[in-house]
């Protein structure tokens, strides 16, 4: 993310002032950030090698809790965090996968027992693809996608 810069007004020395000269000059409080591809890659590697696995561990612990609104809310929060990583580095397929995971988790018909292995495996695979520079290969796969889509299906009640 780019730092927002706040301008600072600095007084000019008296020797440089004239009748029509302004009394201050606005300069940036921080030097302009220099972003390079290497710095972005380094940041991506840091996030996807440390933050993403940490979120996956949190997710695994949440899946071990009793199913209910509180644990689903916690899982949704973890998904939001994972999604922000994709937004930070402009990874649309990662974002799509995490959105599918989020939808699957939101559906109370999906048990944690069925979701956990699929979701963790899909996120782990996507993480590896991102780190290999193959984010375009990241897709919400079979079971995660079917869990996400299940919410829209009408339930049969007999």
């Amino acid at each position: 993310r780019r730092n927002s810069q706040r301008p600072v007004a600095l007084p000019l020395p008296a020797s440089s002032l004239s009748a029509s000269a302004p009394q201050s000059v606005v300069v940036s409080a921080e030097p302009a950030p220099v972003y390079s591809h290497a710095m972005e890659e380094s940041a991506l590697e840091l996030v996807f090698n440390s933050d993403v696995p940490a979120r996956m561990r949190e997710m695994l612990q949440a899946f071990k809790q009793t199913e209910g609104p509180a644990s689903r809310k916690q899982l949704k929060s973890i998904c939001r965090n994972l999604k922000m990583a994709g937004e930070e580095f402009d990874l649309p397929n990662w974002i799509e996968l995490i959105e599918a995971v989020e939808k699957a988790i939101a559906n109370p018909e999906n048990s944690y027992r069925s979701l956990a292995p699929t979701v963790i495996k899909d996120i782990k695979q996507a993480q590896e693809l991102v780190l290999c520079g193959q984010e375009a290969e990241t897709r919400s796969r079979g079971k995660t996608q079917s869990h996400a889509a299940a919410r829209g299906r009408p339930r049969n009640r007999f």
Side-chain angles (χ1 to χ4, degrees), residues 16-46:
S16 67
L17 295 177
S18 68
S20 63
Q23 296 298 313
S24 62
V25 173
V26 176
V27 295
S28 174
E30 301 173 18
V34 178
Y35 292 99
S36 70
H37 182 68
M39 288 173 69
E40 189 169 319
E41 286 297 315
S42 176
L44 182 139
E45 287 178 13
L46 178 66

PDB file of all heavy atoms in Angstrom, residues 16-46:
ATOM      1  N   SER A  16      14.835  35.331   1.498  1.00  0.00           N
ATOM      2  CA  SER A  16      14.209  34.931   0.237  1.00  0.00           C
ATOM      3  C   SER A  16      12.820  35.510   0.061  1.00  0.00           C
ATOM      4  O   SER A  16      12.166  35.253  -0.929  1.00  0.00           O
ATOM      5  CB  SER A  16      14.159  33.407   0.144  1.00  0.00           C
ATOM      6  OG  SER A  16      13.273  32.919   1.125  1.00  0.00           O
ATOM      7  N   LEU A  17      12.355  36.265   1.045  1.00  0.00           N
ATOM      8  CA  LEU A  17      11.006  36.825   0.964  1.00  0.00           C
ATOM      9  C   LEU A  17      10.994  38.134   0.189  1.00  0.00           C
ATOM     10  O   LEU A  17      11.876  38.961   0.324  1.00  0.00           O
ATOM     11  CB  LEU A  17      10.448  37.082   2.369  1.00  0.00           C
ATOM     12  CG  LEU A  17      10.229  35.840   3.229  1.00  0.00           C
ATOM     13  CD1 LEU A  17       9.751  36.259   4.611  1.00  0.00           C
ATOM     14  CD2 LEU A  17       9.234  34.916   2.599  1.00  0.00           C
ATOM     15  N   SER A  18      10.010  38.299  -0.645  1.00  0.00           N
ATOM     16  CA  SER A  18       9.780  39.573  -1.317  1.00  0.00           C
ATOM     17  C   SER A  18       8.334  39.937  -1.090  1.00  0.00           C
ATOM     18  O   SER A  18       7.563  39.147  -0.548  1.00  0.00           O
ATOM     19  CB  SER A  18      10.100  39.453  -2.809  1.00  0.00           C
ATOM     20  OG  SER A  18       9.154  38.614  -3.430  1.00  0.00           O
ATOM     21  N   ALA A  19       7.939  41.072  -1.535  1.00  0.00           N
ATOM     22  CA  ALA A  19       6.566  41.530  -1.298  1.00  0.00           C
ATOM     23  C   ALA A  19       5.535  40.592  -1.904  1.00  0.00           C
ATOM     24  O   ALA A  19       4.466  40.399  -1.356  1.00  0.00           O
ATOM     25  CB  ALA A  19       6.387  42.928  -1.864  1.00  0.00           C
ATOM     26  N   SER A  20       5.846  39.988  -3.059  1.00  0.00           N
ATOM     27  CA  SER A  20       4.870  39.115  -3.696  1.00  0.00           C
ATOM     28  C   SER A  20       5.110  37.636  -3.423  1.00  0.00           C
ATOM     29  O   SER A  20       4.345  36.800  -3.854  1.00  0.00           O
ATOM     30  CB  SER A  20       4.881  39.360  -5.209  1.00  0.00           C
ATOM     31  OG  SER A  20       6.151  39.006  -5.718  1.00  0.00           O
ATOM     32  N   ALA A  21       6.168  37.294  -2.727  1.00  0.00           N
ATOM     33  CA  ALA A  21       6.499  35.881  -2.460  1.00  0.00           C
ATOM     34  C   ALA A  21       5.604  35.320  -1.368  1.00  0.00           C
ATOM     35  O   ALA A  21       5.230  36.029  -0.437  1.00  0.00           O
ATOM     36  CB  ALA A  21       7.956  35.757  -2.043  1.00  0.00           C
ATOM     37  N   PRO A  22       5.239  34.055  -1.473  1.00  0.00           N
ATOM     38  CA  PRO A  22       4.443  33.442  -0.407  1.00  0.00           C
ATOM     39  C   PRO A  22       5.274  33.348   0.873  1.00  0.00           C
ATOM     40  O   PRO A  22       6.490  33.361   0.838  1.00  0.00           O
ATOM     41  CB  PRO A  22       4.122  32.049  -0.955  1.00  0.00           C
ATOM     42  CG  PRO A  22       5.144  31.794  -2.003  1.00  0.00           C
ATOM     43  CD  PRO A  22       5.564  33.127  -2.530  1.00  0.00           C
ATOM     44  N   GLN A  23       4.603  33.236   1.982  1.00  0.00           N
ATOM     45  CA  GLN A  23       5.273  33.178   3.277  1.00  0.00           C
ATOM     46  C   GLN A  23       5.730  31.770   3.638  1.00  0.00           C
ATOM     47  O   GLN A  23       6.454  31.595   4.590  1.00  0.00           O
ATOM     48  CB  GLN A  23       4.336  33.718   4.371  1.00  0.00           C
ATOM     49  CG  GLN A  23       3.997  35.183   4.197  1.00  0.00           C
ATOM     50  CD  GLN A  23       5.241  36.060   4.287  1.00  0.00           C
ATOM     51  OE1 GLN A  23       6.044  35.898   5.176  1.00  0.00           O
ATOM     52  NE2 GLN A  23       5.412  36.964   3.332  1.00  0.00           N
ATOM     53  N   SER A  24       5.287  30.755   2.913  1.00  0.00           N
ATOM     54  CA  SER A  24       5.703  29.387   3.201  1.00  0.00           C
ATOM     55  C   SER A  24       5.665  28.562   1.922  1.00  0.00           C
ATOM     56  O   SER A  24       5.057  28.945   0.935  1.00  0.00           O
ATOM     57  CB  SER A  24       4.793  28.760   4.265  1.00  0.00           C
ATOM     58  OG  SER A  24       3.475  28.710   3.785  1.00  0.00           O
ATOM     59  N   VAL A  25       6.335  27.437   1.976  1.00  0.00           N
ATOM     60  CA  VAL A  25       6.380  26.496   0.860  1.00  0.00           C
ATOM     61  C   VAL A  25       5.892  25.160   1.384  1.00  0.00           C
ATOM     62  O   VAL A  25       6.229  24.761   2.493  1.00  0.00           O
ATOM     63  CB  VAL A  25       7.822  26.352   0.313  1.00  0.00           C
ATOM     64  CG1 VAL A  25       7.889  25.260  -0.724  1.00  0.00           C
ATOM     65  CG2 VAL A  25       8.314  27.663  -0.240  1.00  0.00           C
ATOM     66  N   VAL A  26       5.088  24.461   0.608  1.00  0.00           N
ATOM     67  CA  VAL A  26       4.582  23.155   1.021  1.00  0.00           C
ATOM     68  C   VAL A  26       5.488  22.075   0.455  1.00  0.00           C
ATOM     69  O   VAL A  26       5.745  22.040  -0.751  1.00  0.00           O
ATOM     70  CB  VAL A  26       3.130  22.946   0.543  1.00  0.00           C
ATOM     71  CG1 VAL A  26       2.644  21.560   0.893  1.00  0.00           C
ATOM     72  CG2 VAL A  26       2.229  24.003   1.142  1.00  0.00           C
ATOM     73  N   VAL A  27       5.984  21.234   1.355  1.00  0.00           N
ATOM     74  CA  VAL A  27       6.806  20.089   0.950  1.00  0.00           C
ATOM     75  C   VAL A  27       6.252  18.851   1.607  1.00  0.00           C
ATOM     76  O   VAL A  27       5.536  18.930   2.591  1.00  0.00           O
ATOM     77  CB  VAL A  27       8.298  20.278   1.340  1.00  0.00           C
ATOM     78  CG1 VAL A  27       8.917  21.424   0.593  1.00  0.00           C
ATOM     79  CG2 VAL A  27       8.457  20.449   2.828  1.00  0.00           C
ATOM     80  N   SER A  28       6.609  17.720   1.094  1.00  0.00           N
ATOM     81  CA  SER A  28       6.155  16.454   1.641  1.00  0.00           C
ATOM     82  C   SER A  28       6.909  16.144   2.927  1.00  0.00           C
ATOM     83  O   SER A  28       8.112  16.368   3.018  1.00  0.00           O
ATOM     84  CB  SER A  28       6.401  15.343   0.618  1.00  0.00           C
ATOM     85  OG  SER A  28       6.089  14.105   1.197  1.00  0.00           O
ATOM     86  N   ALA A  29       6.191  15.618   3.921  1.00  0.00           N
ATOM     87  CA  ALA A  29       6.816  15.235   5.182  1.00  0.00           C
ATOM     88  C   ALA A  29       7.640  13.964   5.024  1.00  0.00           C
ATOM     89  O   ALA A  29       8.528  13.693   5.805  1.00  0.00           O
ATOM     90  CB  ALA A  29       5.757  15.023   6.254  1.00  0.00           C
ATOM     91  N   GLU A  30       7.324  13.180   4.030  1.00  0.00           N
ATOM     92  CA  GLU A  30       8.022  11.922   3.794  1.00  0.00           C
ATOM     93  C   GLU A  30       8.578  11.926   2.377  1.00  0.00           C
ATOM     94  O   GLU A  30       7.974  12.488   1.479  1.00  0.00           O
ATOM     95  CB  GLU A  30       7.046  10.741   3.922  1.00  0.00           C
ATOM     96  CG  GLU A  30       6.387  10.646   5.266  1.00  0.00           C
ATOM     97  CD  GLU A  30       5.314   9.573   5.279  1.00  0.00           C
ATOM     98  OE1 GLU A  30       5.318   8.697   4.395  1.00  0.00           O
ATOM     99  OE2 GLU A  30       4.466   9.624   6.166  1.00  0.00           O
ATOM    100  N   PRO A  31       9.706  11.277   2.197  1.00  0.00           N
ATOM    101  CA  PRO A  31      10.201  11.186   0.817  1.00  0.00           C
ATOM    102  C   PRO A  31       9.242  10.342  -0.008  1.00  0.00           C
ATOM    103  O   PRO A  31       8.567   9.456   0.516  1.00  0.00           O
ATOM    104  CB  PRO A  31      11.560  10.503   0.961  1.00  0.00           C
ATOM    105  CG  PRO A  31      11.526   9.835   2.297  1.00  0.00           C
ATOM    106  CD  PRO A  31      10.551  10.606   3.148  1.00  0.00           C
ATOM    107  N   ALA A  32       9.160  10.636  -1.285  1.00  0.00           N
ATOM    108  CA  ALA A  32       8.300   9.850  -2.166  1.00  0.00           C
ATOM    109  C   ALA A  32       8.788   8.403  -2.153  1.00  0.00           C
ATOM    110  O   ALA A  32       9.974   8.147  -2.282  1.00  0.00           O
ATOM    111  CB  ALA A  32       8.345  10.409  -3.579  1.00  0.00           C
ATOM    112  N   PRO A  33       7.874   7.446  -1.925  1.00  0.00           N
ATOM    113  CA  PRO A  33       8.301   6.045  -1.891  1.00  0.00           C
ATOM    114  C   PRO A  33       8.773   5.588  -3.262  1.00  0.00           C
ATOM    115  O   PRO A  33       8.218   5.977  -4.282  1.00  0.00           O
ATOM    116  CB  PRO A  33       7.054   5.284  -1.457  1.00  0.00           C
ATOM    117  CG  PRO A  33       5.916   6.195  -1.776  1.00  0.00           C
ATOM    118  CD  PRO A  33       6.450   7.598  -1.734  1.00  0.00           C
ATOM    119  N   VAL A  34       9.806   4.800  -3.248  1.00  0.00           N
ATOM    120  CA  VAL A  34      10.328   4.235  -4.489  1.00  0.00           C
ATOM    121  C   VAL A  34       9.934   2.763  -4.489  1.00  0.00           C
ATOM    122  O   VAL A  34      10.401   1.995  -3.666  1.00  0.00           O
ATOM    123  CB  VAL A  34      11.869   4.381  -4.554  1.00  0.00           C
ATOM    124  CG1 VAL A  34      12.398   3.749  -5.821  1.00  0.00           C
ATOM    125  CG2 VAL A  34      12.260   5.836  -4.451  1.00  0.00           C
ATOM    126  N   TYR A  35       9.025   2.413  -5.395  1.00  0.00           N
ATOM    127  CA  TYR A  35       8.559   1.043  -5.475  1.00  0.00           C
ATOM    128  C   TYR A  35       9.217   0.376  -6.664  1.00  0.00           C
ATOM    129  O   TYR A  35       9.326   0.945  -7.734  1.00  0.00           O
ATOM    130  CB  TYR A  35       7.031   0.982  -5.638  1.00  0.00           C
ATOM    131  CG  TYR A  35       6.305   1.448  -4.412  1.00  0.00           C
ATOM    132  CD1 TYR A  35       5.788   2.725  -4.322  1.00  0.00           C
ATOM    133  CD2 TYR A  35       6.163   0.607  -3.318  1.00  0.00           C
ATOM    134  CE1 TYR A  35       5.133   3.165  -3.187  1.00  0.00           C
ATOM    135  CE2 TYR A  35       5.514   1.025  -2.181  1.00  0.00           C
ATOM    136  CZ  TYR A  35       5.002   2.302  -2.122  1.00  0.00           C
ATOM    137  OH  TYR A  35       4.356   2.718  -0.988  1.00  0.00           O
ATOM    138  N   SER A  36       9.630  -0.805  -6.446  1.00  0.00           N
ATOM    139  CA  SER A  36      10.200  -1.554  -7.548  1.00  0.00           C
ATOM    140  C   SER A  36       9.504  -2.904  -7.594  1.00  0.00           C
ATOM    141  O   SER A  36       8.872  -3.331  -6.633  1.00  0.00           O
ATOM    142  CB  SER A  36      11.704  -1.739  -7.346  1.00  0.00           C
ATOM    143  OG  SER A  36      11.945  -2.632  -6.271  1.00  0.00           O
ATOM    144  N   HIS A  37       9.662  -3.543  -8.715  1.00  0.00           N
ATOM    145  CA  HIS A  37       9.081  -4.878  -8.867  1.00  0.00           C
ATOM    146  C   HIS A  37       9.665  -5.823  -7.820  1.00  0.00           C
ATOM    147  O   HIS A  37       8.944  -6.640  -7.242  1.00  0.00           O
ATOM    148  CB  HIS A  37       9.340  -5.389 -10.287  1.00  0.00           C
ATOM    149  CG  HIS A  37       8.739  -6.727 -10.553  1.00  0.00           C
ATOM    150  ND1 HIS A  37       7.378  -6.914 -10.620  1.00  0.00           N
ATOM    151  CD2 HIS A  37       9.299  -7.946 -10.741  1.00  0.00           C
ATOM    152  CE1 HIS A  37       7.125  -8.200 -10.842  1.00  0.00           C
ATOM    153  NE2 HIS A  37       8.279  -8.832 -10.923  1.00  0.00           N
ATOM    154  N   ALA A  38      10.962  -5.683  -7.555  1.00  0.00           N
ATOM    155  CA  ALA A  38      11.625  -6.551  -6.577  1.00  0.00           C
ATOM    156  C   ALA A  38      11.044  -6.344  -5.176  1.00  0.00           C
ATOM    157  O   ALA A  38      10.844  -7.314  -4.440  1.00  0.00           O
ATOM    158  CB  ALA A  38      13.123  -6.293  -6.569  1.00  0.00           C
ATOM    159  N   MET A  39      10.745  -5.094  -4.827  1.00  0.00           N
ATOM    160  CA  MET A  39      10.165  -4.819  -3.512  1.00  0.00           C
ATOM    161  C   MET A  39       8.759  -5.415  -3.404  1.00  0.00           C
ATOM    162  O   MET A  39       8.396  -5.966  -2.373  1.00  0.00           O
ATOM    163  CB  MET A  39      10.123  -3.317  -3.251  1.00  0.00           C
ATOM    164  CG  MET A  39      11.482  -2.709  -2.994  1.00  0.00           C
ATOM    165  SD  MET A  39      11.425  -0.914  -2.878  1.00  0.00           S
ATOM    166  CE  MET A  39      10.544  -0.685  -1.349  1.00  0.00           C
ATOM    167  N   GLU A  40       7.989  -5.308  -4.479  1.00  0.00           N
ATOM    168  CA  GLU A  40       6.643  -5.863  -4.469  1.00  0.00           C
ATOM    169  C   GLU A  40       6.692  -7.386  -4.356  1.00  0.00           C
ATOM    170  O   GLU A  40       5.926  -7.983  -3.621  1.00  0.00           O
ATOM    171  CB  GLU A  40       5.876  -5.441  -5.724  1.00  0.00           C
ATOM    172  CG  GLU A  40       4.421  -5.826  -5.641  1.00  0.00           C
ATOM    173  CD  GLU A  40       3.578  -5.202  -6.734  1.00  0.00           C
ATOM    174  OE1 GLU A  40       3.778  -4.027  -7.044  1.00  0.00           O
ATOM    175  OE2 GLU A  40       2.719  -5.933  -7.255  1.00  0.00           O
ATOM    176  N   GLU A  41       7.613  -8.011  -5.102  1.00  0.00           N
ATOM    177  CA  GLU A  41       7.773  -9.468  -5.022  1.00  0.00           C
ATOM    178  C   GLU A  41       8.171  -9.885  -3.616  1.00  0.00           C
ATOM    179  O   GLU A  41       7.684 -10.888  -3.096  1.00  0.00           O
ATOM    180  CB  GLU A  41       8.819  -9.948  -6.032  1.00  0.00           C
ATOM    181  CG  GLU A  41       8.346  -9.936  -7.467  1.00  0.00           C
ATOM    182  CD  GLU A  41       7.180 -10.876  -7.724  1.00  0.00           C
ATOM    183  OE1 GLU A  41       7.219 -12.027  -7.260  1.00  0.00           O
ATOM    184  OE2 GLU A  41       6.218 -10.446  -8.379  1.00  0.00           O
ATOM    185  N   SER A  42       9.058  -9.131  -3.005  1.00  0.00           N
ATOM    186  CA  SER A  42       9.512  -9.433  -1.655  1.00  0.00           C
ATOM    187  C   SER A  42       8.348  -9.337  -0.671  1.00  0.00           C
ATOM    188  O   SER A  42       8.197 -10.187   0.208  1.00  0.00           O
ATOM    189  CB  SER A  42      10.632  -8.465  -1.270  1.00  0.00           C
ATOM    190  OG  SER A  42      11.024  -8.684   0.052  1.00  0.00           O
ATOM    191  N   ALA A  43       7.531  -8.292  -0.812  1.00  0.00           N
ATOM    192  CA  ALA A  43       6.365  -8.129   0.057  1.00  0.00           C
ATOM    193  C   ALA A  43       5.377  -9.266  -0.150  1.00  0.00           C
ATOM    194  O   ALA A  43       4.837  -9.814   0.816  1.00  0.00           O
ATOM    195  CB  ALA A  43       5.705  -6.780  -0.205  1.00  0.00           C
ATOM    196  N   LEU A  44       5.137  -9.635  -1.404  1.00  0.00           N
ATOM    197  CA  LEU A  44       4.225 -10.742  -1.718  1.00  0.00           C
ATOM    198  C   LEU A  44       4.737 -12.028  -1.073  1.00  0.00           C
ATOM    199  O   LEU A  44       3.971 -12.760  -0.442  1.00  0.00           O
ATOM    200  CB  LEU A  44       4.098 -10.911  -3.231  1.00  0.00           C
ATOM    201  CG  LEU A  44       3.132 -11.996  -3.683  1.00  0.00           C
ATOM    202  CD1 LEU A  44       2.324 -11.523  -4.880  1.00  0.00           C
ATOM    203  CD2 LEU A  44       3.863 -13.259  -4.050  1.00  0.00           C
ATOM    204  N   GLU A  45       6.027 -12.300  -1.205  1.00  0.00           N
ATOM    205  CA  GLU A  45       6.601 -13.512  -0.607  1.00  0.00           C
ATOM    206  C   GLU A  45       6.456 -13.498   0.905  1.00  0.00           C
ATOM    207  O   GLU A  45       6.129 -14.524   1.508  1.00  0.00           O
ATOM    208  CB  GLU A  45       8.065 -13.664  -1.016  1.00  0.00           C
ATOM    209  CG  GLU A  45       8.230 -14.081  -2.462  1.00  0.00           C
ATOM    210  CD  GLU A  45       9.684 -14.182  -2.904  1.00  0.00           C
ATOM    211  OE1 GLU A  45      10.585 -14.173  -2.030  1.00  0.00           O
ATOM    212  OE2 GLU A  45       9.914 -14.260  -4.119  1.00  0.00           O
ATOM    213  N   LEU A  46       6.681 -12.345   1.520  1.00  0.00           N
ATOM    214  CA  LEU A  46       6.537 -12.242   2.967  1.00  0.00           C
ATOM    215  C   LEU A  46       5.104 -12.556   3.393  1.00  0.00           C
ATOM    216  O   LEU A  46       4.873 -13.372   4.288  1.00  0.00           O
ATOM    217  CB  LEU A  46       6.938 -10.838   3.441  1.00  0.00           C
ATOM    218  CG  LEU A  46       6.798 -10.587   4.936  1.00  0.00           C
ATOM    219  CD1 LEU A  46       7.769 -11.458   5.722  1.00  0.00           C
ATOM    220  CD2 LEU A  46       7.027  -9.125   5.253  1.00  0.00           C
TER     221      LEU A  46
END
